[in-house]
Amino acid sequence: PEERGHDPSATRACAEEETFFRSLYTQFPEGSAKKRALRNAGSEGWPVFKLTVDAPFSPDRTAIRRGADRSRRQFLIGKPSSALSLVAGCGTRHFVAYDLTFKEVVSIKDTWRTCTNATQTEFETYLLLRENVAGELYIPTLLGGGDVLFDERTQQTSDGSLIHSRLIFKEVFRSLEDFTNSFELVKAV
């Protein structure tokens, strides 16, 4: 089944988890990015899934550092906040998710990266940036993630050219459609 696209690290949430996730947006102030994102993620007609991620994670909800221990985390997700609908490519999707371990809302980038030693992974890039830049760094806070493992095997395409990867971020991202004009977008940057 995995060769045909089945992801054993994603299972349907139970009824209680689904009800919780669909109503989670009510816990945030009107107009907040989290409220908008969670309302969209919990849209009726979209299933709620529980993702199991076995990967290195920051133990204290700060940016992950090299050498962090591997742990198992579970997240609730619904409708993607963005997804590319191309047949070819990396199949990148972004989710607003609920971390069942730390009981907080996070963002997950789910993608298929190329399997090559010629370039470093996005995960490695975040680690290098944190290690080599002194002072304030205006990038998302990577909490953990990396290549998707299940039963100690890396998920990859049948020809081995793409590897499934998930990155978990502390910040909930605003969609470009949420900005009312270009001035508001530039001001945010």
mmCIF file of all heavy atoms in Angstrom, residues 120-141:
data_model
loop_
_atom_site.group_PDB
_atom_site.id
_atom_site.type_symbol
_atom_site.label_atom_id
_atom_site.label_comp_id
_atom_site.label_asym_id
_atom_site.label_seq_id
_atom_site.Cartn_x
_atom_site.Cartn_y
_atom_site.Cartn_z
ATOM 1 N N GLN A 120 21.699 20.433 0.534
ATOM 2 C CA GLN A 120 21.295 20.090 1.897
ATOM 3 C C GLN A 120 19.782 20.172 2.035
ATOM 4 O O GLN A 120 19.124 20.855 1.259
ATOM 5 C CB GLN A 120 21.986 21.008 2.909
ATOM 6 C CG GLN A 120 21.596 22.456 2.783
ATOM 7 C CD GLN A 120 22.539 23.359 3.544
ATOM 8 O OE1 GLN A 120 23.673 23.003 3.805
ATOM 9 N NE2 GLN A 120 22.078 24.536 3.894
ATOM 10 N N THR A 121 19.268 19.482 3.020
ATOM 11 C CA THR A 121 17.823 19.483 3.233
ATOM 12 C C THR A 121 17.394 20.817 3.843
ATOM 13 O O THR A 121 18.208 21.559 4.411
ATOM 14 C CB THR A 121 17.409 18.348 4.180
ATOM 15 O OG1 THR A 121 17.968 18.606 5.473
ATOM 16 C CG2 THR A 121 17.870 16.995 3.657
ATOM 17 N N GLU A 122 16.109 21.110 3.753
ATOM 18 C CA GLU A 122 15.573 22.325 4.378
ATOM 19 C C GLU A 122 15.774 22.263 5.895
ATOM 20 O O GLU A 122 16.079 23.267 6.534
ATOM 21 C CB GLU A 122 14.101 22.474 4.029
ATOM 22 C CG GLU A 122 13.499 23.774 4.481
ATOM 23 C CD GLU A 122 12.065 23.954 4.019
ATOM 24 O OE1 GLU A 122 11.534 23.125 3.256
ATOM 25 O OE2 GLU A 122 11.461 24.962 4.438
ATOM 26 N N PHE A 123 15.610 21.077 6.476
ATOM 27 C CA PHE A 123 15.838 20.887 7.908
ATOM 28 C C PHE A 123 17.264 21.302 8.278
ATOM 29 O O PHE A 123 17.486 22.052 9.223
ATOM 30 C CB PHE A 123 15.591 19.412 8.273
ATOM 31 C CG PHE A 123 15.754 19.091 9.722
ATOM 32 C CD1 PHE A 123 14.727 19.331 10.621
ATOM 33 C CD2 PHE A 123 16.929 18.534 10.194
ATOM 34 C CE1 PHE A 123 14.861 19.025 11.973
ATOM 35 C CE2 PHE A 123 17.079 18.228 11.540
ATOM 36 C CZ PHE A 123 16.045 18.479 12.423
ATOM 37 N N GLU A 124 18.231 20.831 7.504
ATOM 38 C CA GLU A 124 19.643 21.166 7.744
ATOM 39 C C GLU A 124 19.887 22.664 7.575
ATOM 40 O O GLU A 124 20.655 23.269 8.331
ATOM 41 C CB GLU A 124 20.530 20.362 6.786
ATOM 42 C CG GLU A 124 22.007 20.631 6.930
ATOM 43 C CD GLU A 124 22.605 20.157 8.254
ATOM 44 O OE1 GLU A 124 22.007 19.301 8.933
ATOM 45 O OE2 GLU A 124 23.680 20.669 8.626
ATOM 46 N N THR A 125 19.217 23.299 6.619
ATOM 47 C CA THR A 125 19.374 24.742 6.404
ATOM 48 C C THR A 125 18.939 25.525 7.639
ATOM 49 O O THR A 125 19.626 26.457 8.073
ATOM 50 C CB THR A 125 18.564 25.193 5.170
ATOM 51 O OG1 THR A 125 19.061 24.488 4.030
ATOM 52 C CG2 THR A 125 18.676 26.688 4.953
ATOM 53 N N TYR A 126 17.809 25.135 8.232
ATOM 54 C CA TYR A 126 17.354 25.809 9.457
ATOM 55 C C TYR A 126 18.361 25.633 10.591
ATOM 56 O O TYR A 126 18.640 26.579 11.335
ATOM 57 C CB TYR A 126 15.974 25.299 9.883
ATOM 58 C CG TYR A 126 14.846 25.984 9.165
ATOM 59 C CD1 TYR A 126 14.241 25.401 8.064
ATOM 60 C CD2 TYR A 126 14.390 27.229 9.577
ATOM 61 C CE1 TYR A 126 13.207 26.030 7.396
ATOM 62 C CE2 TYR A 126 13.360 27.870 8.914
ATOM 63 C CZ TYR A 126 12.773 27.266 7.829
ATOM 64 O OH TYR A 126 11.759 27.905 7.168
ATOM 65 N N LEU A 127 18.924 24.437 10.729
ATOM 66 C CA LEU A 127 19.927 24.209 11.771
ATOM 67 C C LEU A 127 21.156 25.085 11.549
ATOM 68 O O LEU A 127 21.663 25.722 12.489
ATOM 69 C CB LEU A 127 20.353 22.733 11.806
ATOM 70 C CG LEU A 127 19.324 21.720 12.269
ATOM 71 C CD1 LEU A 127 19.896 20.302 12.173
ATOM 72 C CD2 LEU A 127 18.851 22.003 13.683
ATOM 73 N N LEU A 128 21.643 25.134 10.311
ATOM 74 C CA LEU A 128 22.820 25.945 9.995
ATOM 75 C C LEU A 128 22.574 27.432 10.238
ATOM 76 O O LEU A 128 23.454 28.140 10.745
ATOM 77 C CB LEU A 128 23.264 25.705 8.552
ATOM 78 C CG LEU A 128 23.928 24.360 8.280
ATOM 79 C CD1 LEU A 128 24.093 24.144 6.778
ATOM 80 C CD2 LEU A 128 25.264 24.267 8.990
ATOM 81 N N LEU A 129 21.401 27.923 9.867
ATOM 82 C CA LEU A 129 21.094 29.334 10.099
ATOM 83 C C LEU A 129 21.142 29.659 11.594
ATOM 84 O O LEU A 129 21.713 30.672 11.998
ATOM 85 C CB LEU A 129 19.726 29.687 9.533
ATOM 86 C CG LEU A 129 19.662 29.870 8.028
ATOM 87 C CD1 LEU A 129 18.219 29.943 7.548
ATOM 88 C CD2 LEU A 129 20.422 31.136 7.616
ATOM 89 N N ARG A 130 20.548 28.812 12.415
ATOM 90 C CA ARG A 130 20.551 29.046 13.870
ATOM 91 C C ARG A 130 21.963 28.977 14.439
ATOM 92 O O ARG A 130 22.301 29.697 15.376
ATOM 93 C CB ARG A 130 19.656 28.039 14.588
ATOM 94 C CG ARG A 130 18.201 28.197 14.289
ATOM 95 C CD ARG A 130 17.572 29.270 15.132
ATOM 96 N NE ARG A 130 16.180 29.459 14.721
ATOM 97 C CZ ARG A 130 15.485 30.521 15.008
ATOM 98 N NH1 ARG A 130 15.994 31.486 15.714
ATOM 99 N NH2 ARG A 130 14.245 30.631 14.595
ATOM 100 N N GLU A 131 22.804 28.122 13.882
ATOM 101 C CA GLU A 131 24.173 27.963 14.392
ATOM 102 C C GLU A 131 25.095 29.106 13.975
ATOM 103 O O GLU A 131 26.025 29.444 14.693
ATOM 104 C CB GLU A 131 24.777 26.648 13.878
ATOM 105 C CG GLU A 131 24.150 25.427 14.462
ATOM 106 C CD GLU A 131 24.562 24.147 13.754
ATOM 107 O OE1 GLU A 131 25.246 24.201 12.707
ATOM 108 O OE2 GLU A 131 24.172 23.079 14.241
ATOM 109 N N ASN A 132 24.835 29.693 12.807
ATOM 110 C CA ASN A 132 25.803 30.621 12.228
ATOM 111 C C ASN A 132 25.398 32.086 12.222
ATOM 112 O O ASN A 132 26.158 32.917 11.737
ATOM 113 C CB ASN A 132 26.125 30.187 10.794
ATOM 114 C CG ASN A 132 26.810 28.836 10.768
ATOM 115 O OD1 ASN A 132 27.730 28.601 11.541
ATOM 116 N ND2 ASN A 132 26.341 27.946 9.925
ATOM 117 N N VAL A 133 24.225 32.406 12.733
ATOM 118 C CA VAL A 133 23.795 33.805 12.746
ATOM 119 C C VAL A 133 23.679 34.267 14.194
ATOM 120 O O VAL A 133 22.948 33.679 14.990
ATOM 121 C CB VAL A 133 22.442 33.984 12.019
ATOM 122 C CG1 VAL A 133 21.950 35.411 12.137
ATOM 123 C CG2 VAL A 133 22.574 33.590 10.559
ATOM 124 N N ALA A 134 24.433 35.312 14.521
ATOM 125 C CA ALA A 134 24.364 35.874 15.871
ATOM 126 C C ALA A 134 23.236 36.898 15.921
ATOM 127 O O ALA A 134 22.928 37.559 14.934
ATOM 128 C CB ALA A 134 25.698 36.536 16.222
ATOM 129 N N GLY A 135 22.618 37.017 17.069
ATOM 130 C CA GLY A 135 21.559 38.004 17.233
ATOM 131 C C GLY A 135 20.207 37.482 16.800
ATOM 132 O O GLY A 135 19.992 36.287 16.646
ATOM 133 N N GLU A 136 19.287 38.423 16.591
ATOM 134 C CA GLU A 136 17.913 38.075 16.231
ATOM 135 C C GLU A 136 17.857 37.513 14.817
ATOM 136 O O GLU A 136 18.473 38.043 13.903
ATOM 137 C CB GLU A 136 17.022 39.321 16.331
ATOM 138 C CG GLU A 136 15.556 39.029 16.269
ATOM 139 C CD GLU A 136 15.033 38.247 17.463
ATOM 140 O OE1 GLU A 136 15.567 38.402 18.572
ATOM 141 O OE2 GLU A 136 14.078 37.480 17.265
ATOM 142 N N LEU A 137 17.127 36.438 14.660
ATOM 143 C CA LEU A 137 16.994 35.783 13.362
ATOM 144 C C LEU A 137 15.510 35.765 13.003
ATOM 145 O O LEU A 137 14.701 35.182 13.709
ATOM 146 C CB LEU A 137 17.546 34.359 13.458
ATOM 147 C CG LEU A 137 17.779 33.588 12.181
ATOM 148 C CD1 LEU A 137 18.745 34.323 11.251
ATOM 149 C CD2 LEU A 137 18.369 32.222 12.505
ATOM 150 N N TYR A 138 15.155 36.416 11.914
ATOM 151 C CA TYR A 138 13.753 36.572 11.549
ATOM 152 C C TYR A 138 13.312 35.486 10.572
ATOM 153 O O TYR A 138 12.980 35.749 9.415
ATOM 154 C CB TYR A 138 13.505 37.968 10.977
ATOM 155 C CG TYR A 138 13.792 39.032 12.000
ATOM 156 C CD1 TYR A 138 15.004 39.708 12.007
ATOM 157 C CD2 TYR A 138 12.866 39.327 12.986
ATOM 158 C CE1 TYR A 138 15.277 40.673 12.964
ATOM 159 C CE2 TYR A 138 13.118 40.283 13.946
ATOM 160 C CZ TYR A 138 14.331 40.953 13.927
ATOM 161 O OH TYR A 138 14.597 41.896 14.888
ATOM 162 N N ILE A 139 13.325 34.257 11.060
ATOM 163 C CA ILE A 139 12.843 33.110 10.306
ATOM 164 C C ILE A 139 11.913 32.324 11.226
ATOM 165 O O ILE A 139 11.945 32.490 12.441
ATOM 166 C CB ILE A 139 13.996 32.204 9.807
ATOM 167 C CG1 ILE A 139 14.787 31.615 10.981
ATOM 168 C CG2 ILE A 139 14.903 32.962 8.839
ATOM 169 C CD1 ILE A 139 15.787 30.552 10.595
ATOM 170 N N PRO A 140 11.071 31.460 10.657
ATOM 171 C CA PRO A 140 10.199 30.657 11.519
ATOM 172 C C PRO A 140 11.003 29.791 12.482
ATOM 173 O O PRO A 140 12.125 29.377 12.186
ATOM 174 C CB PRO A 140 9.429 29.788 10.520
ATOM 175 C CG PRO A 140 9.530 30.488 9.216
ATOM 176 C CD PRO A 140 10.842 31.219 9.240
ATOM 177 N N THR A 141 10.407 29.508 13.627
ATOM 178 C CA THR A 141 11.056 28.690 14.652
ATOM 179 C C THR A 141 10.772 27.220 14.370
ATOM 180 O O THR A 141 9.646 26.742 14.548
ATOM 181 C CB THR A 141 10.514 29.057 16.047
ATOM 182 O OG1 THR A 141 10.631 30.469 16.234
ATOM 183 C CG2 THR A 141 11.260 28.327 17.139
#
